[in-house]
Amino acid sequence: MAITVLAFDFGTKSIGCAVGQSITGTAQALPAFKAQDGIPDWLKIEKCLKDWQPDIVVVGLPLNMDGTEQKLTLRARKFANRLNGRFGVKVELQDERLTTTQARDEIFQRGGYRALEKGKVDGISACLILESWFENRDCEE
């Protein structure tokens, strides 16, 4: 059965967003949400959830390269908990090591330095988080 999934790349100034379908296992970037010290406009998040009606929401979990947690890890967990608490959506966390670097590389290959807008990087990071979630999910089923 096909499921719709929204993914968020949490950041303190910008939160990337992507949507994907389990059938294709691919994601498309949506506009990033501006955030004030990690707090988004919850009404815009709610509208996004209502528009896409995801079966599950995936939040990228920023970890250090050795797998240990950092300050942002706790904030991303808190964001995930708030999504679940406010909107009742099922939320899963996905290791996001290297997604921002990968996203920058991908954008740079397509359009050079001028293409490296923060919102685009966050959106592609969210896509990579979602696609890696789909890949890991295939292994578990």
Side-chain angles (χ1 to χ4, degrees):
M1 188 179 91
I3 62 168
T4 300
V5 186
L6 267 183
F8 291 101
D9 176 32
F10 177 82
T12 56
K13 294 181 181 152
S14 178
I15 298 170
C17 188
V19 65
Q21 290 267 321
S22 61
I23 289 179
T24 59
T26 58
Q28 83 180 54
L30 298 174
F33 295 94
K34 289 197 181 318
Q36 294 267 309
D37 193 28
I39 299 165
D41 179 337
W42 288 107
L43 291 174
K44 288 183 178 172
I45 299 274
E46 182 176 23
K47 182 182 182 330
C48 182
L49 290 168
K50 280 186 176 156
D51 288 350
W52 290 100
Q53 299 188 357
D55 298 289
I56 191 163
V57 173
V58 175
V59 174
L61 192 64
L63 298 167
N64 293 315
M65 290 311 291
D66 64 1
T68 58
E69 297 200 354
Q70 52 180 287
K71 216 189 311 189
L72 202 58
T73 310
L74 184 64
R75 298 192 67 182
R77 285 184 192 280
K78 199 171 179 181
F79 174 72
N81 289 338
R82 285 197 177 135
L83 284 170
N84 174 264
R86 276 180 186 244
F87 308 112
V89 291
K90 182 179 178 198
V91 179
E92 286 189 18
L93 298 168
Q94 175 66 36
D95 181 349
E96 67 165 53
R97 283 177 278 184
L98 297 178
T99 54
T100 301
T101 307
Q102 255 181 294
R104 285 179 200 274
D105 289 348
E106 203 168 297
I107 291 169
F108 185 73
Q109 286 169 4
R110 290 182 192 173
Y113 283 112
R114 274 175 269 165
L116 290 176
E117 291 171 34
K118 182 69 179 125
K120 280 187 183 168
V121 172
D122 293 336
I124 290 178
S125 292
C127 285
L128 294 168
I129 289 165
L130 185 48
E131 287 172 359
S132 68
W133 181 83
F134 281 132
E135 285 168 23
N136 289 346
R137 201 164 172 270
D138 288 345
C139 299
E140 291 169 16
E141 287 182 45

Short mmCIF file of all heavy atoms in Angstrom, two decimals, residues 75-129:
data_model
loop_
_atom_site.label_atom_id
_atom_site.label_comp_id
_atom_site.label_asym_id
_atom_site.label_seq_id
_atom_site.Cartn_x
_atom_site.Cartn_y
_atom_site.Cartn_z
N ARG A 75 17.30 19.41 20.00
CA ARG A 75 16.31 20.34 19.46
C ARG A 75 15.49 19.70 18.34
O ARG A 75 14.29 19.94 18.22
CB ARG A 75 17.01 21.60 18.99
CG ARG A 75 17.68 22.27 20.20
CD ARG A 75 18.16 23.63 19.96
NE ARG A 75 17.05 24.54 19.74
CZ ARG A 75 17.22 25.81 19.46
NH1 ARG A 75 18.41 26.32 19.42
NH2 ARG A 75 16.18 26.59 19.26
N ALA A 76 16.13 18.86 17.52
CA ALA A 76 15.41 18.16 16.45
C ALA A 76 14.42 17.15 17.06
O ALA A 76 13.29 17.01 16.58
CB ALA A 76 16.38 17.45 15.52
N ARG A 77 14.84 16.47 18.14
CA ARG A 77 13.94 15.54 18.84
C ARG A 77 12.72 16.29 19.40
O ARG A 77 11.59 15.82 19.31
CB ARG A 77 14.65 14.85 20.00
CG ARG A 77 15.62 13.76 19.58
CD ARG A 77 16.18 13.07 20.84
NE ARG A 77 17.30 12.23 20.54
CZ ARG A 77 17.20 10.99 20.05
NH1 ARG A 77 16.03 10.48 19.79
NH2 ARG A 77 18.29 10.29 19.81
N LYS A 78 12.98 17.48 19.96
CA LYS A 78 11.91 18.30 20.53
C LYS A 78 10.93 18.72 19.43
O LYS A 78 9.72 18.68 19.62
CB LYS A 78 12.55 19.53 21.19
CG LYS A 78 11.70 20.24 22.18
CD LYS A 78 12.56 21.29 22.87
CE LYS A 78 11.78 22.08 23.87
NZ LYS A 78 12.60 23.10 24.53
N PHE A 79 11.47 19.11 18.28
CA PHE A 79 10.64 19.48 17.13
C PHE A 79 9.76 18.29 16.72
O PHE A 79 8.56 18.44 16.49
CB PHE A 79 11.54 19.94 15.98
CG PHE A 79 10.81 20.22 14.69
CD1 PHE A 79 10.00 21.34 14.55
CD2 PHE A 79 10.93 19.36 13.60
CE1 PHE A 79 9.32 21.60 13.37
CE2 PHE A 79 10.27 19.61 12.41
CZ PHE A 79 9.46 20.73 12.30
N ALA A 80 10.37 17.11 16.64
CA ALA A 80 9.62 15.89 16.27
C ALA A 80 8.51 15.62 17.29
O ALA A 80 7.38 15.30 16.92
CB ALA A 80 10.57 14.70 16.19
N ASN A 81 8.82 15.76 18.58
CA ASN A 81 7.82 15.54 19.63
C ASN A 81 6.68 16.54 19.53
O ASN A 81 5.52 16.21 19.75
CB ASN A 81 8.46 15.61 21.01
CG ASN A 81 9.34 14.41 21.29
OD1 ASN A 81 9.19 13.36 20.67
ND2 ASN A 81 10.30 14.58 22.19
N ARG A 82 7.01 17.79 19.18
CA ARG A 82 5.97 18.81 19.03
C ARG A 82 5.06 18.52 17.84
O ARG A 82 3.87 18.75 17.91
CB ARG A 82 6.60 20.20 18.88
CG ARG A 82 7.13 20.71 20.21
CD ARG A 82 7.38 22.20 20.16
NE ARG A 82 7.80 22.64 21.48
CZ ARG A 82 8.82 23.46 21.69
NH1 ARG A 82 9.50 23.93 20.67
NH2 ARG A 82 9.14 23.83 22.90
N LEU A 83 5.65 18.05 16.75
CA LEU A 83 4.83 17.67 15.59
C LEU A 83 3.82 16.60 15.99
O LEU A 83 2.64 16.69 15.66
CB LEU A 83 5.71 17.12 14.45
CG LEU A 83 6.50 18.12 13.64
CD1 LEU A 83 7.49 17.40 12.73
CD2 LEU A 83 5.58 19.00 12.80
N ASN A 84 4.30 15.60 16.72
CA ASN A 84 3.43 14.52 17.17
C ASN A 84 2.39 15.05 18.16
O ASN A 84 1.20 14.74 18.03
CB ASN A 84 4.27 13.41 17.81
CG ASN A 84 3.40 12.33 18.41
OD1 ASN A 84 3.13 12.35 19.61
ND2 ASN A 84 2.94 11.42 17.59
N GLY A 85 2.81 15.84 19.12
CA GLY A 85 1.90 16.33 20.15
C GLY A 85 0.84 17.30 19.63
O GLY A 85 -0.32 17.21 19.99
N ARG A 86 1.25 18.22 18.77
CA ARG A 86 0.32 19.22 18.24
C ARG A 86 -0.65 18.66 17.21
O ARG A 86 -1.80 19.06 17.16
CB ARG A 86 1.09 20.35 17.54
CG ARG A 86 1.60 21.40 18.45
CD ARG A 86 2.34 22.45 17.64
NE ARG A 86 2.95 23.40 18.53
CZ ARG A 86 2.64 24.67 18.60
NH1 ARG A 86 1.73 25.17 17.81
NH2 ARG A 86 3.23 25.47 19.46
N PHE A 87 -0.15 17.79 16.34
CA PHE A 87 -0.94 17.39 15.18
C PHE A 87 -1.32 15.91 15.16
O PHE A 87 -2.02 15.46 14.27
CB PHE A 87 -0.20 17.76 13.88
CG PHE A 87 0.23 19.20 13.85
CD1 PHE A 87 1.57 19.54 13.90
CD2 PHE A 87 -0.71 20.23 13.81
CE1 PHE A 87 1.98 20.87 13.89
CE2 PHE A 87 -0.32 21.57 13.81
CZ PHE A 87 1.03 21.89 13.85
N GLY A 88 -0.81 15.15 16.13
CA GLY A 88 -1.16 13.74 16.23
C GLY A 88 -0.62 12.89 15.10
O GLY A 88 -1.13 11.79 14.86
N VAL A 89 0.40 13.36 14.39
CA VAL A 89 0.97 12.57 13.29
C VAL A 89 2.03 11.62 13.84
O VAL A 89 2.68 11.90 14.84
CB VAL A 89 1.61 13.48 12.20
CG1 VAL A 89 0.55 14.25 11.46
CG2 VAL A 89 2.66 14.40 12.78
N LYS A 90 2.18 10.48 13.16
CA LYS A 90 3.23 9.54 13.53
C LYS A 90 4.55 10.11 13.04
O LYS A 90 4.65 10.52 11.88
CB LYS A 90 2.94 8.18 12.87
CG LYS A 90 3.95 7.12 13.25
CD LYS A 90 3.65 5.79 12.62
CE LYS A 90 4.75 4.81 13.01
NZ LYS A 90 4.81 3.65 12.17
N VAL A 91 5.54 10.17 13.92
CA VAL A 91 6.82 10.76 13.57
C VAL A 91 7.94 9.75 13.80
O VAL A 91 7.96 9.06 14.81
CB VAL A 91 7.10 12.03 14.42
CG1 VAL A 91 8.46 12.63 14.08
CG2 VAL A 91 6.00 13.07 14.24
N GLU A 92 8.84 9.65 12.83
CA GLU A 92 10.04 8.82 12.98
C GLU A 92 11.26 9.70 12.75
O GLU A 92 11.20 10.67 11.99
CB GLU A 92 10.03 7.67 11.96
CG GLU A 92 9.05 6.59 12.31
CD GLU A 92 9.20 5.34 11.45
OE1 GLU A 92 10.25 5.16 10.79
OE2 GLU A 92 8.23 4.56 11.42
N LEU A 93 12.35 9.35 13.41
CA LEU A 93 13.61 10.07 13.25
C LEU A 93 14.50 9.32 12.28
O LEU A 93 14.49 8.09 12.24
CB LEU A 93 14.29 10.23 14.60
CG LEU A 93 13.49 11.03 15.63
CD1 LEU A 93 14.09 10.88 17.02
CD2 LEU A 93 13.43 12.50 15.24
N GLN A 94 15.27 10.07 11.48
CA GLN A 94 16.18 9.47 10.49
C GLN A 94 17.55 10.13 10.62
O GLN A 94 17.66 11.34 10.56
CB GLN A 94 15.62 9.68 9.08
CG GLN A 94 16.53 9.22 7.96
CD GLN A 94 16.74 7.72 7.94
OE1 GLN A 94 15.85 6.95 8.24
NE2 GLN A 94 17.94 7.30 7.59
N ASP A 95 18.57 9.31 10.79
CA ASP A 95 19.95 9.79 10.84
C ASP A 95 20.21 10.64 9.59
O ASP A 95 19.95 10.20 8.47
CB ASP A 95 20.88 8.58 10.86
CG ASP A 95 22.35 8.94 10.92
OD1 ASP A 95 22.72 10.12 10.75
OD2 ASP A 95 23.15 8.01 11.14
N GLU A 96 20.67 11.86 9.79
CA GLU A 96 20.87 12.74 8.64
C GLU A 96 22.33 13.12 8.40
O GLU A 96 22.62 14.09 7.71
CB GLU A 96 20.04 14.02 8.79
CG GLU A 96 20.49 14.90 9.91
CD GLU A 96 19.90 16.30 9.82
OE1 GLU A 96 18.67 16.42 9.71
OE2 GLU A 96 20.68 17.25 9.88
N ARG A 97 23.25 12.34 8.97
CA ARG A 97 24.66 12.67 8.74
C ARG A 97 24.95 12.78 7.25
O ARG A 97 24.51 11.96 6.46
CB ARG A 97 25.57 11.60 9.38
CG ARG A 97 25.66 11.79 10.89
CD ARG A 97 26.47 10.71 11.51
NE ARG A 97 25.62 9.54 11.70
CZ ARG A 97 26.00 8.43 12.29
NH1 ARG A 97 27.22 8.31 12.75
NH2 ARG A 97 25.17 7.42 12.44
N LEU A 98 25.63 13.83 6.90
CA LEU A 98 26.09 14.12 5.53
C LEU A 98 25.02 14.65 4.57
O LEU A 98 25.35 15.01 3.46
CB LEU A 98 26.76 12.90 4.88
CG LEU A 98 28.03 12.40 5.55
CD1 LEU A 98 28.54 11.16 4.84
CD2 LEU A 98 29.11 13.46 5.55
N THR A 99 23.76 14.72 4.96
CA THR A 99 22.75 15.15 3.98
C THR A 99 22.96 16.59 3.52
O THR A 99 22.77 16.88 2.34
CB THR A 99 21.30 14.98 4.49
OG1 THR A 99 21.17 15.65 5.74
CG2 THR A 99 20.92 13.53 4.62
N THR A 100 23.34 17.51 4.42
CA THR A 100 23.54 18.90 4.00
C THR A 100 24.72 18.99 3.04
O THR A 100 24.65 19.68 2.02
CB THR A 100 23.74 19.81 5.23
OG1 THR A 100 22.58 19.70 6.05
CG2 THR A 100 23.92 21.27 4.82
N THR A 101 25.80 18.27 3.33
CA THR A 101 26.97 18.27 2.45
C THR A 101 26.58 17.69 1.09
O THR A 101 26.93 18.24 0.04
CB THR A 101 28.10 17.43 3.08
OG1 THR A 101 28.33 17.91 4.40
CG2 THR A 101 29.38 17.52 2.28
N GLN A 102 25.84 16.58 1.11
CA GLN A 102 25.38 15.95 -0.14
C GLN A 102 24.51 16.92 -0.92
O GLN A 102 24.61 17.02 -2.13
CB GLN A 102 24.54 14.72 0.20
CG GLN A 102 25.21 13.40 -0.03
CD GLN A 102 24.23 12.29 0.33
OE1 GLN A 102 23.86 12.13 1.49
NE2 GLN A 102 23.80 11.54 -0.65
N ALA A 103 23.61 17.62 -0.22
CA ALA A 103 22.69 18.56 -0.87
C ALA A 103 23.47 19.68 -1.54
O ALA A 103 23.21 20.05 -2.68
CB ALA A 103 21.70 19.13 0.14
N ARG A 104 24.47 20.23 -0.83
CA ARG A 104 25.29 21.30 -1.40
C ARG A 104 26.02 20.81 -2.66
O ARG A 104 26.07 21.51 -3.66
CB ARG A 104 26.32 21.79 -0.38
CG ARG A 104 25.73 22.65 0.69
CD ARG A 104 26.83 23.07 1.67
NE ARG A 104 26.25 23.49 2.94
CZ ARG A 104 25.82 24.72 3.19
NH1 ARG A 104 25.89 25.63 2.26
NH2 ARG A 104 25.32 25.02 4.35
N ASP A 105 26.55 19.59 -2.59
CA ASP A 105 27.25 19.02 -3.75
C ASP A 105 26.31 18.89 -4.95
O ASP A 105 26.66 19.24 -6.07
CB ASP A 105 27.83 17.64 -3.43
CG ASP A 105 29.02 17.72 -2.47
OD1 ASP A 105 29.53 18.84 -2.23
OD2 ASP A 105 29.41 16.66 -1.94
N GLU A 106 25.10 18.40 -4.66
CA GLU A 106 24.12 18.19 -5.73
C GLU A 106 23.72 19.51 -6.38
O GLU A 106 23.66 19.62 -7.61
CB GLU A 106 22.88 17.50 -5.12
CG GLU A 106 22.07 16.75 -6.14
CD GLU A 106 21.04 15.85 -5.47
OE1 GLU A 106 21.40 14.91 -4.75
OE2 GLU A 106 19.84 16.12 -5.70
N ILE A 107 23.46 20.52 -5.56
CA ILE A 107 23.06 21.83 -6.10
C ILE A 107 24.22 22.44 -6.88
O ILE A 107 24.03 22.99 -7.97
CB ILE A 107 22.63 22.78 -4.96
CG1 ILE A 107 21.31 22.28 -4.35
CG2 ILE A 107 22.45 24.20 -5.47
CD1 ILE A 107 20.93 22.98 -3.07
N PHE A 108 25.41 22.34 -6.33
CA PHE A 108 26.58 22.92 -6.98
C PHE A 108 26.80 22.30 -8.36
O PHE A 108 27.07 22.99 -9.34
CB PHE A 108 27.83 22.76 -6.11
CG PHE A 108 29.02 23.46 -6.68
CD1 PHE A 108 29.11 24.85 -6.64
CD2 PHE A 108 30.05 22.75 -7.27
CE1 PHE A 108 30.20 25.51 -7.19
CE2 PHE A 108 31.15 23.40 -7.82
CZ PHE A 108 31.22 24.79 -7.78
N GLN A 109 26.62 20.99 -8.44
CA GLN A 109 26.79 20.30 -9.73
C GLN A 109 25.77 20.80 -10.75
O GLN A 109 26.04 20.86 -11.93
CB GLN A 109 26.67 18.79 -9.56
CG GLN A 109 27.90 18.18 -8.90
CD GLN A 109 27.67 16.73 -8.49
OE1 GLN A 109 26.63 16.15 -8.74
NE2 GLN A 109 28.66 16.15 -7.83
N ARG A 110 24.59 21.15 -10.27
CA ARG A 110 23.54 21.61 -11.18
C ARG A 110 23.66 23.08 -11.57
O ARG A 110 23.25 23.47 -12.65
CB ARG A 110 22.15 21.42 -10.54
CG ARG A 110 21.77 19.98 -10.42
CD ARG A 110 20.39 19.87 -9.84
NE ARG A 110 20.11 18.51 -9.43
CZ ARG A 110 19.04 18.15 -8.79
NH1 ARG A 110 18.14 19.03 -8.45
NH2 ARG A 110 18.86 16.89 -8.46
N GLY A 111 24.16 23.92 -10.63
CA GLY A 111 24.12 25.34 -10.95
C GLY A 111 25.23 26.20 -10.38
O GLY A 111 25.11 27.42 -10.41
N GLY A 112 26.27 25.63 -9.84
CA GLY A 112 27.37 26.44 -9.32
C GLY A 112 27.03 27.16 -8.03
O GLY A 112 25.99 26.92 -7.41
N TYR A 113 27.93 28.04 -7.62
CA TYR A 113 27.77 28.74 -6.34
C TYR A 113 26.47 29.52 -6.22
O TYR A 113 25.87 29.58 -5.17
CB TYR A 113 28.95 29.71 -6.11
CG TYR A 113 30.20 29.02 -5.69
CD1 TYR A 113 31.30 28.98 -6.54
CD2 TYR A 113 30.29 28.40 -4.45
CE1 TYR A 113 32.46 28.34 -6.16
CE2 TYR A 113 31.46 27.75 -4.07
CZ TYR A 113 32.54 27.73 -4.92
OH TYR A 113 33.68 27.09 -4.55
N ARG A 114 26.05 30.13 -7.33
CA ARG A 114 24.83 30.94 -7.26
C ARG A 114 23.60 30.13 -6.91
O ARG A 114 22.61 30.67 -6.43
CB ARG A 114 24.61 31.68 -8.59
CG ARG A 114 25.37 32.99 -8.61
CD ARG A 114 25.24 33.63 -9.94
NE ARG A 114 26.36 33.14 -10.73
CZ ARG A 114 26.48 33.24 -12.03
NH1 ARG A 114 25.54 33.80 -12.73
NH2 ARG A 114 27.54 32.78 -12.65
N ALA A 115 23.64 28.84 -7.16
CA ALA A 115 22.49 27.98 -6.87
C ALA A 115 22.41 27.60 -5.39
O ALA A 115 21.42 27.03 -4.95
CB ALA A 115 22.55 26.72 -7.72
N LEU A 116 23.45 27.89 -4.63
CA LEU A 116 23.50 27.46 -3.23
C LEU A 116 22.68 28.34 -2.29
O LEU A 116 23.17 28.80 -1.27
CB LEU A 116 24.95 27.40 -2.73
CG LEU A 116 25.82 26.29 -3.32
CD1 LEU A 116 27.24 26.41 -2.80
CD2 LEU A 116 25.27 24.93 -2.97
N GLU A 117 21.42 28.56 -2.59
CA GLU A 117 20.54 29.30 -1.70
C GLU A 117 20.18 28.41 -0.52
O GLU A 117 19.94 27.22 -0.67
CB GLU A 117 19.23 29.67 -2.42
CG GLU A 117 19.39 30.69 -3.50
CD GLU A 117 18.11 30.84 -4.30
OE1 GLU A 117 17.01 30.71 -3.70
OE2 GLU A 117 18.20 31.05 -5.51
N LYS A 118 20.11 29.03 0.67
CA LYS A 118 19.86 28.27 1.90
C LYS A 118 18.57 27.44 1.80
O LYS A 118 18.55 26.27 2.16
CB LYS A 118 19.80 29.24 3.09
CG LYS A 118 19.61 28.56 4.42
CD LYS A 118 20.83 27.76 4.84
CE LYS A 118 20.61 27.12 6.19
NZ LYS A 118 20.81 25.70 6.22
N GLY A 119 17.49 28.02 1.32
CA GLY A 119 16.22 27.30 1.23
C GLY A 119 16.31 26.07 0.34
O GLY A 119 15.75 25.03 0.63
N LYS A 120 17.05 26.21 -0.77
CA LYS A 120 17.21 25.08 -1.69
C LYS A 120 18.02 23.96 -1.02
O LYS A 120 17.69 22.79 -1.17
CB LYS A 120 17.92 25.52 -2.96
CG LYS A 120 17.04 26.20 -3.96
CD LYS A 120 17.80 26.43 -5.25
CE LYS A 120 16.94 27.20 -6.24
NZ LYS A 120 17.73 27.68 -7.36
N VAL A 121 19.08 24.35 -0.32
CA VAL A 121 19.91 23.35 0.36
C VAL A 121 19.06 22.60 1.38
O VAL A 121 19.10 21.36 1.45
CB VAL A 121 21.14 24.00 1.04
CG1 VAL A 121 21.88 22.99 1.91
CG2 VAL A 121 22.07 24.59 0.00
N ASP A 122 18.26 23.33 2.16
CA ASP A 122 17.41 22.69 3.18
C ASP A 122 16.38 21.77 2.56
O ASP A 122 16.10 20.68 3.07
CB ASP A 122 16.71 23.75 4.05
CG ASP A 122 17.69 24.52 4.91
OD1 ASP A 122 18.78 24.00 5.20
OD2 ASP A 122 17.35 25.65 5.31
N GLY A 123 15.78 22.18 1.43
CA GLY A 123 14.79 21.35 0.76
C GLY A 123 15.40 20.07 0.22
O GLY A 123 14.83 18.98 0.36
N ILE A 124 16.59 20.19 -0.39
CA ILE A 124 17.24 18.99 -0.92
C ILE A 124 17.73 18.11 0.23
O ILE A 124 17.66 16.89 0.14
CB ILE A 124 18.36 19.37 -1.92
CG1 ILE A 124 17.69 19.94 -3.18
CG2 ILE A 124 19.22 18.16 -2.25
CD1 ILE A 124 18.63 20.40 -4.25
N SER A 125 18.18 18.73 1.32
CA SER A 125 18.55 17.93 2.51
C SER A 125 17.36 17.11 2.99
O SER A 125 17.49 15.94 3.32
CB SER A 125 19.04 18.84 3.65
OG SER A 125 20.26 19.45 3.32
N ALA A 126 16.18 17.74 3.02
CA ALA A 126 14.96 17.02 3.43
C ALA A 126 14.67 15.88 2.47
O ALA A 126 14.27 14.79 2.90
CB ALA A 126 13.78 17.99 3.53
N CYS A 127 14.89 16.09 1.17
CA CYS A 127 14.70 15.02 0.17
C CYS A 127 15.64 13.85 0.46
O CYS A 127 15.22 12.69 0.43
CB CYS A 127 14.99 15.53 -1.24
SG CYS A 127 13.72 16.55 -1.96
N LEU A 128 16.90 14.17 0.72
CA LEU A 128 17.89 13.12 0.99
C LEU A 128 17.54 12.35 2.27
O LEU A 128 17.70 11.13 2.33
CB LEU A 128 19.29 13.72 1.07
CG LEU A 128 19.82 14.30 -0.25
CD1 LEU A 128 21.07 15.13 -0.01
CD2 LEU A 128 20.08 13.22 -1.28
N ILE A 129 17.07 13.07 3.29
CA ILE A 129 16.64 12.42 4.54
C ILE A 129 15.51 11.44 4.23
O ILE A 129 15.53 10.29 4.67
CB ILE A 129 16.19 13.47 5.57
CG1 ILE A 129 17.41 14.25 6.10
CG2 ILE A 129 15.41 12.83 6.73
CD1 ILE A 129 17.05 15.53 6.85
#
